[in-house]
Amino acid sequence: MKSLKKKLGITAILSFTLLLAACGSSEEGSNGSGQETASDSLGEALDYTITGIEPGAGITQLTLNTLEEYENLEGWTLLESSTAGMIGALDQAIKNEEPIIVTGWNPHWKFSAYDLKYLEDPKGTLGGAEDINTITRKGLEEDMPEAYTILDRFYWEPEDMEAVMYAAQEIPFEEAAQNWIDENADKVSEWTEGVEKVDGVDIELVITPWDTERASGQVMKIVLEQQGYNVTLTPVDPAIMFQAIATAEGDASVAPWLPNTHGSFYEKYKEDIVDLGPNLTGTKTGLVVPAYMDIDSIEDLMPKK
Ligand code: PBE
């Protein structure tokens, strides 16, 4: 798919070369102690490696916890790289019909580009099904009641977010968000109805750097600009995002994935932020594999020999 190719920049190609180099060739055969199962050879084929994304992502920490919690994942490692690197490796594995296990989430276009499935997570150490919440700094309600009201009302569906994300594969996020707002004036007016306009008040939105939040962040930026605000949108790692809101360096965020993916940051800062609840429900994070792989659960994986 053309748009996919566009997304794979130099980083993806580089990471991907490294991944291939790291993988080596895997031999089918005896393990020396008798029978070798399909699961054993899967581990060998993958070099006992899960292909991950950015070190600062919530899902990276959850996956490291997962490697600790499941005894059968003894000897497995997480290869941290970038979202583009993960997608490059996934794309290449699927082209070659090879196995791969990635840290994945939705909404994400990889689920419409490829036939993928989540591995069952009986211990529940990965995110599972969760929400994206809106948080603000303390005092925002008093200082900027108009923005606070809009942020508090902001709620949309996964299909809305996906519409912006998918459009943004071909056009800039700003444009994709503006088009969505133009086409969904009724939804937007539910958030802004009766709210007074302001005259050039500065507000700082803090988001994370993934497409899901680039979509929601851009939409909220434009909605607040139409209301008269000067909006800055700053993408940072999840840990910094929570810290920025807790220390009032930033005013609000529409990006926390809760209760699990960003749960540890939330616990750390919950006394110092205001949680306005979900702006979207129905996200998911977990380990993701191509549907052709003959494995359904994390527990099907075998420890390294
Ligand atoms: N994600 C997408 C992020 C949140 C949004 C799942 C890659 C994370 O793991 O922090």
Side-chain angles (χ1 to χ4, degrees):
M1 146 182 197
K2 255 199 214 117
S3 51
L4 171 68
K5 287 224 181 87
K6 265 195 225 161
K7 296 207 76 130
L8 304 176
I10 295 291
T11 333
I13 292 159
L14 285 179
S15 318
F16 165 56
T17 315
L18 292 174
L19 282 171
L20 277 188
C23 257
S25 68
S26 63
E27 311 264 314
E28 297 277 329
S30 160
N31 56 14
S33 62
Q35 285 277 328
E36 174 162 280
T37 65
S39 304
D40 281 328
S41 55
L42 174 61
E44 282 174 21
L46 295 174
D47 200 17
Y48 299 93
T49 300
I50 293 165
T51 302
I53 59 166
E54 290 80 358
I59 197 176
T60 300
Q61 191 53 52
L62 293 187
T63 306
L64 292 173
N65 299 347
T66 301
L67 294 179
E68 299 280 310
E69 295 293 327
Y70 282 83
E71 276 164 33
N72 61 303
L73 293 181
E74 173 99 52
W76 283 74
T77 52
L78 174 65
L79 178 65
E80 295 171 26
S81 64
S82 64
T83 297
M86 177 276 282
I87 291 292
L90 180 66
D91 184 61
Q92 195 61 32
I94 288 173
K95 282 200 181 113
N96 298 335
E97 278 194 57
E98 286 166 358
I100 187 165
I101 304 175
V102 302
T103 61
W105 65 94
N106 60 297
H108 194 281
W109 55 265
K110 60 186 173 288
F111 285 92
S112 49
Y114 310 110
D115 195 5
L116 302 174
K117 62 184 179 185
Y118 279 97
L119 293 184
E120 285 159 31
D121 173 22
K123 289 186 192 280
T125 51
L126 290 153
E130 50 184 5
D131 305 325
I132 306 179
N133 283 24
T134 301
I135 60 174
T136 76
R137 67 168 169 86
K138 288 198 163 167
L140 189 78
E141 184 172 13
E142 293 76 36
D143 299 345
M144 301 185 201
E146 298 84 4
Y148 182 91
T149 301
I150 294 171
L151 286 159
D152 196 15
R153 288 180 185 167
F154 172 47
Y155 186 85
W156 62 346
E157 306 289 336
E159 301 78 66
D160 297 316
M161 179 181 259
E162 281 164 5
V164 178
M165 291 167 66
Y166 292 174
Q169 287 185 60
E170 311 290 341
I171 56 175
F173 266 93
E174 292 83 343
E175 226 175 286
Q178 182 67 60
N179 291 346
W180 184 89
I181 288 170
D182 295 344
E183 286 155 20
N184 292 273
D186 50 333
K187 283 187 193 173
V188 175
S189 68
E190 282 177 26
W191 314 333
T192 57
E193 202 184 344
V195 179
E196 281 185 24
K197 300 229 163 164
V198 300
D199 190 12
V201 177
D202 292 334
I203 186 167
E204 174 133 9
L205 298 181
V206 186
I207 55 164
T208 53
W210 293 281
D211 284 4
T212 38
E213 281 60 51
R214 293 171 77 194
S216 55
Q218 278 297 338
V219 165
M220 187 45 64
K221 178 174 191 274
I222 296 170
V223 169
L224 290 173
E225 282 171 351
Q226 288 177 352
Q227 205 67 23
Y229 285 92
N230 297 326
V231 185
T232 322
L233 195 59
T234 311
V236 293
D237 276 356
I240 307 295
M241 166 180 79
F242 277 90
Q243 192 188 34
I245 303 301
T247 57
E249 272 169 60
D251 292 304
S253 178
V254 293
W257 283 43
L258 294 168
N260 299 318
T261 302
H262 297 154
S264 61
F265 310 121
Y266 184 84
E267 283 304 312
K268 187 168 173 196
Y269 294 109
K270 67 180 174 195
E271 306 301 336
D272 301 314
I273 60 175
V274 179
D275 181 5
L276 298 181
N279 60 58
L280 180 141
T281 58
T283 67
K284 193 167 160 71
T285 60
L287 296 186
V288 171
V289 301
Y292 55 72
M293 278 175 68
D294 188 18
I295 173 177
D296 294 312
S297 170
I298 295 173
E299 287 191 330
D300 297 342
L301 296 167
M302 298 296 280
K304 187 172 181 176
K305 301 231 157 137

